[in-house]
Amino acid sequence: AAGCCCPGASRNKFAYNEAGQVCIRAGLPIYECNSRCRCGDDCPNRVVQKGIRYDLCIFRTGNGRGWGVRTLQRIRKNSFVMEYVGEIITSEEAERRGQVYDQQGATYLFDLDYVEDVYTVDAARYGNISHFVNHSCDPNLQVYNVFIENLDERLPRIALFATRSIRAGEELTFDYNMHVDPVDAESTRMDSNFGLVAGGGLGGGSPRARRRIECKCGATSCRKFLF
């Protein structure tokens, strides 16, 4: 479409401003340019695909939440921080692995239920630093569904953007039990099947089979339990 790249062709809103900050509400999909586009690497619609641009650090938390991730430099509001990366498996396989992980006291399953619950990302064996990001009831990261080299709505890439300006040295967190206000039809199609299990990580598969877990995020607005 004239004046824009992939989002216009997909009849969706352009997701970023000129500084690469996300400017659409959570719940709306992000369509980035891909290898078949004529634009170059400097196209403002190529953000998530460039990977992590900030210096991040894994550290041991002091309140029983296991490992965590902090930023070593200031992060601007609405900036892309990292992608949740792992092995893509079927929901049936996630159900099987989830039972094993529960016995081990840890799991890292993230359901890709943007349109339907068919696939899950498992970061237990393969992943990146997002494997160590903890939950908070008052998080500084927000999940967005991103499509780059594929338009299969069952397989979004999971990108984490800053909800506010984040200070250097501050821990990075997102809400494992996130809910998006249904402001329009698209915003209801959002990953929301999260849940913490003992030892840290994301819960997928069968949440009803998991015990109630106390939240230790320490936020003023803490819900006390994750699910």
Side-chain angles (χ1 to χ4, degrees):
C4 61
C5 294
C6 289
S10 303
R11 298 182 181 179
N12 286 280
K13 297 179 180 179
F14 198 84
Y16 308 117
N17 61 20
E18 294 182 355
Q21 296 164 293
V22 67
C23 55
I24 61 174
R25 62 174 60 93
L28 294 177
I30 295 176
Y31 288 88
E32 291 196 1
C33 291
N34 55 61
S35 59
R36 302 183 70 178
C37 296
R38 297 178 180 179
C39 57
D41 187 62
D42 59 345
C43 174
N45 195 38
R46 297 179 183 272
V47 175
V48 172
Q49 61 192 264
K50 292 183 178 180
I52 297 173
R53 315 290 280 187
Y54 293 99
D55 293 328
L56 309 177
C57 174
I58 299 170
F59 74 102
R60 189 73 175 180
T61 64
N63 59 353
R65 292 179 298 123
W67 297 99
V69 179
R70 63 163 59 106
T71 176
L72 300 181
Q73 59 188 122
R74 179 179 175 273
I75 299 177
R76 296 179 302 168
K77 180 180 179 180
N78 296 328
S79 296
F80 169 66
V81 179
M82 70 181 77
E83 181 179 355
Y84 193 85
V85 176
E87 179 186 6
I88 297 177
I89 59 177
T90 64
S91 295
E92 289 79 8
E93 175 64 11
E95 176 74 20
R96 186 190 68 80
R97 293 188 187 185
Q99 295 176 6
V100 176
Y101 293 158
D102 283 350
Q103 296 176 358
Q104 298 173 348
T107 187
Y108 301 89
L109 300 174
F110 195 127
D111 288 344
L112 300 180
D113 54 2
Y114 176 61
V115 291
E116 56 181 314
D117 190 3
V118 178
Y119 299 107
T120 297
V121 173
D122 183 359
R125 305 173 188 173
Y126 308 94
N128 62 4
I129 198 170
S130 64
H131 171 100
F132 300 98
V133 176
N134 281 315
H135 161 85
S136 176
C137 296
D138 184 21
N140 50 26
L141 299 179
Q142 171 70 52
V143 173
Y144 280 82
N145 294 278
V146 183
F147 300 91
I148 304 175
E149 294 291 345
N150 109 90
L151 295 177
D152 188 340
E153 292 186 330
R154 301 172 303 169
L155 290 168
R157 293 171 63 165
I158 304 303
L160 300 172
F161 287 79
T163 60
R164 56 175 172 78
S165 177
I166 304 175
R167 305 183 309 275
E170 187 175 349
E171 182 178 2
L172 301 175
T173 59
F174 71 97
D175 190 343
Y176 288 7
N177 198 24
M178 175 189 58
H179 296 282
V180 179
D181 293 332
V183 292
D184 53 43
E186 283 291 339
S187 69
T188 61
R189 299 159 66 181
M190 187 69 184
D191 299 277
S192 59
N193 189 13
F194 309 146
L196 183 68
V197 296
L202 298 175
S206 179
R208 62 183 177 276
R210 294 189 165 88
R211 61 188 181 277
R212 201 174 191 194
I213 301 298
E214 179 185 1
C215 181
K216 299 179 180 179
C217 74
T220 303
S221 58
C222 181
R223 299 187 295 266
K224 307 304 180 183
F225 292 94
L226 289 175
F227 56 87

